[in-house]
Amino acid sequence: EKETRIESVDFQVGRTGRITPVANLTPVQLDGTTVSRVTLHNKAFIEELDARVGDVVRLHKSGGIIPEILRVVKEKRTGEEAPIVFPNRCPECKAELVEDGKIHRCPNPLCPAKAFQQLRHWASRRAMDVQGLGDKLIEQLLEKGLVKDAADLYRLGKEDLAGLERMGEKSAENLLAQLEASKGRGLERALYGLGIPQVGEALARTLARRFGTIEKLMEAGEEELEAVPDVGPITAAEIRRALADKRMRDLIRRLQAAGVSFEARQAQAAEQPLAGLTFVLTGELSRPRAEVKEELEALGAKVAGSVSRKTSYVVAGPGAGSKLAKARQLGVPVLDEAGLAALLAERGAAG
């Protein structure tokens, strides 16, 4: 733990419109890194902490990674500390904020801050993977009014890009080629790229496998959604609310008109020979672990991070440690890479 001081507070707007207060701190060394900013989460957290600008606070790293304020050192207050005033209006577009439980959101669909974050998320490697569409370029496209949302990206031509800073003819051609390639990433990537609250990579993949097309997903009721693994009542309601929104439906319609695929690329249920199996990967494998994980998931398997009695197989390479020991203790079958290849061949899943 270390002590430092809150110098000021910024209010950031996320891609869903969520307003997050961030404390700017007097820089301090903590577990090998310099920490100068830390999230204050929401208005309720600030009130519970009774934090003020100028306060001395005690920090630690949650899980050894994420800086977090533990408490305010109130005995060091001087009387000059100032209250942290949560805004009533969006810091970017000045729209009146709405409260959603502990969260404050900007409801304006055209808020510039939301647009930037949404475009950044859509183009990210794990979503549509549009290489070359970085922060500076997104800022320029928004400032010049060339795009307002993801669908507008697919209307860009060479002439639109020609006047942008550091955008030569070759760079423009490469970006347009990346955008064209992104159209075929499939429902799972597009669904994640839309930034629906509660829908991360894994759930986007699960929903794509379950429903196959965006149309079937949009038709699904909350009861049908709750039947999907890892979807509870809150997540089901969020998905329904997001996909019923007229602005979201219009965005999807325009993306489809531009040629973006909203059909699942993953094998459908009948073509998932590993459906119902749970794997754990450990040790050094001949391919990147993320690649093996993606291949297994595409064939219907679940890949977990820890071994339990529900684990079907542990795939172990050289240097496997505690996970291998746990598998042996629980009697979970252990495969090397050759054994995994044999299992895939046996189930008709060999590539």
Side-chain angles (χ1 to χ4, degrees), residues 187-316:
L187 177 59
E188 47 277 6
R189 303 278 285 272
L191 196 54
Y192 175 60
L194 288 174
I196 296 169
Q198 309 288 337
V199 179
E201 275 185 277
L203 183 52
R205 193 180 298 119
T206 300
L207 291 169
R209 287 181 188 148
R210 170 65 181 80
F211 294 98
T213 68
I214 193 68
E215 288 78 15
K216 288 181 180 175
L217 179 56
M218 288 193 292
E219 289 168 4
E222 288 188 28
E223 190 174 325
E224 191 175 356
L225 286 167
E226 285 182 43
V228 175
D230 302 321
V231 176
I234 293 173
T235 300
E238 287 275 19
I239 294 169
R240 281 288 298 150
R241 189 182 302 121
L243 292 178
D245 186 277
K246 288 182 180 179
R247 294 180 295 257
M248 177 66 83
R249 291 201 168 209
D250 178 64
L251 174 61
I252 291 169
R253 179 187 60 76
R254 289 186 295 115
L255 284 165
Q256 287 179 311
V260 176
S261 170
F262 279 85
E263 293 186 4
R265 292 180 66 191
Q266 302 284 15
Q268 296 305 306
E271 301 167 344
Q272 292 187 337
L274 302 186
L277 298 182
T278 299
F279 289 78
V280 171
L281 308 177
T282 185
E284 293 181 23
L285 304 178
S286 62
R287 292 184 289 156
R289 199 175 295 182
E291 188 180 310
V292 179
K293 177 176 184 284
E294 189 173 317
E295 179 185 337
L296 292 171
E297 288 176 338
L299 294 168
K302 180 178 179 180
V303 180
S306 58
V307 180
S308 72
R309 294 189 187 280
K310 294 181 179 179
T311 305
S312 308
Y313 296 96
V314 168
V315 179

Side-chain angles (χ1 to χ4, degrees), residues 121-245:
H121 180 68
W122 177 264
S124 65
R125 184 172 60 85
R126 292 177 174 176
M128 303 307 278
D129 193 19
V130 185
Q131 295 176 33
L133 189 59
D135 291 358
K136 295 291 186 187
L137 182 52
I138 292 173
E139 286 174 1
Q140 287 189 74
L141 292 171
L142 288 168
E143 284 169 8
K144 292 185 179 294
L146 292 171
V147 302
K148 289 182 179 177
D149 57 31
D152 290 339
L153 292 171
Y154 298 94
R155 298 171 56 196
L156 292 171
K158 269 195 207 178
E159 61 282 2
D160 298 310
L161 301 172
L164 300 180
E165 186 182 335
R166 299 175 68 183
M167 181 58 70
E169 185 178 347
K170 186 64 177 173
S171 297
E173 287 176 359
N174 288 342
L175 177 60
L176 293 175
Q178 284 288 320
L179 285 165
E180 187 63 31
S182 75
K183 293 178 180 179
R185 303 276 189 241
L187 177 59
E188 47 277 6
R189 303 278 285 272
L191 196 54
Y192 175 60
L194 288 174
I196 296 169
Q198 309 288 337
V199 179
E201 275 185 277
L203 183 52
R205 193 180 298 119
T206 300
L207 291 169
R209 287 181 188 148
R210 170 65 181 80
F211 294 98
T213 68
I214 193 68
E215 288 78 15
K216 288 181 180 175
L217 179 56
M218 288 193 292
E219 289 168 4
E222 288 188 28
E223 190 174 325
E224 191 175 356
L225 286 167
E226 285 182 43
V228 175
D230 302 321
V231 176
I234 293 173
T235 300
E238 287 275 19
I239 294 169
R240 281 288 298 150
R241 189 182 302 121
L243 292 178
D245 186 277

Side-chain angles (χ1 to χ4, degrees), residues 15-60:
R15 60 184 166 83
T16 63
R18 177 175 178 161
I19 310 298
T20 303
V22 178
N24 297 303
L25 309 171
T26 304
V28 62
Q29 283 289 318
L30 183 63
D31 294 342
T33 60
T34 301
V35 177
S36 59
R37 287 164 67 81
V38 64
T39 181
L40 293 173
H41 302 292
N42 51 52
K43 186 178 180 180
F45 181 80
I46 293 171
E47 291 173 347
E48 185 180 330
L49 203 60
D50 188 22
R52 304 174 189 178
V53 174
D55 269 337
V56 174
V57 294
R58 288 200 70 83
L59 285 179
H60 81 142

